[in-house]
Amino acid sequence: PMLLTLVAVLSYLLGSVPFGVVITRAMGLGDLRQIGSGNIGATNVLRTGNKAAAAATLILDAAKGGVAVLLARALLGEDAAQMAALTSFLGHLYPVWLRFRGGKGVATFFGTLLALAWPVGLAACATWLVVAALLRISSVAGLAAAGSSTGWMLLFGRSEMFFLGVVLTALIYWKHRENMVRIKAGTEPRIGSKR
Ligand code: G3P
């Protein structure tokens, strides 16, 4: 239990590293919280116009969730891996460094899913890509990927992940509530538009 607590705390701290904020600041691209949606994720980093910064944010925000899961699994096994998925994800959503005002979780969600069960992770990423290609709206793609993820878990015979999937999906929807208002109003910006 000591080690489990340590892994949970470490995963939270890893998840709470706001790579979007760090990268945009380091590259002199301005204050991400004053740009676009004000979110700290890759979609909003893209609104600075810098694709490399956005790609790096996407990869690192996903990687921190994946690394937390793989570390926990190596040290303590599969239950701990699920716990690390949850705590690293919570770190991204509610980082202590940003007074708990964190991101919306889509990239970190993908990283944890890929590490927990790569077919589920790939299917969720593919869902994002298909919806993004069709509609060109990142939030809609993220909501579709999250919403479909529990379905992918069942399809790939990973029902032990189902409860975790429901919790992560619910948190992603909660964090996208402003996006959902804009989606309904038809004012949600397309990917890459500077708004
Ligand atoms: O992953 C976040 C994305 O779904 C929405 O980001 O900046 O458009 O609110 P944003």
Side-chain angles (χ1 to χ4, degrees), residues 21-109:
V21 173
V22 173
I23 288 168
T24 47
R25 201 178 289 165
M27 293 177 72
L29 299 172
D31 178 2
L32 200 50
R33 312 240 60 155
Q34 305 301 321
I35 294 166
S37 66
N39 191 44
I40 64 167
T43 301
N44 204 38
V45 174
L46 192 59
R47 295 190 185 106
T48 67
N50 192 307
K51 286 184 186 165
T57 301
L58 172 64
I59 289 167
L60 291 170
D61 277 348
K64 67 189 183 185
V67 166
V69 166
L70 296 178
L71 263 177
R73 177 184 284 146
L75 287 170
L76 293 163
E78 213 51 46
D79 287 349
Q82 283 208 17
M83 185 207 60
L86 178 65
T87 51
S88 63
F89 183 81
L90 289 174
H92 181 78
L93 265 57
Y94 303 104
V96 60
W97 326 109
L98 300 178
R99 293 199 211 119
F100 303 104
R101 286 193 55 226
K104 299 180 183 176
V106 176
T108 307
F109 178 66

Side-chain angles (χ1 to χ4, degrees), residues 94-168:
Y94 303 104
V96 60
W97 326 109
L98 300 178
R99 293 199 211 119
F100 303 104
R101 286 193 55 226
K104 299 180 183 176
V106 176
T108 307
F109 178 66
F110 287 149
T112 61
L113 285 190
L114 284 166
L116 282 171
W118 63 266
V120 174
L122 279 188
C125 290
T127 305
W128 192 98
L129 286 171
V130 169
V131 175
L134 291 173
L135 300 176
R136 318 238 34 110
I137 301 177
S138 179
S139 57
V140 177
L143 290 166
S148 66
S149 63
T150 47
W152 298 121
M153 290 169 191
L154 297 182
L155 192 74
F156 288 109
R158 303 299 300 256
S159 58
E160 79 282 358
M161 293 171 69
F162 188 84
F163 181 67
L164 176 71
V166 170
V167 171
L168 298 186

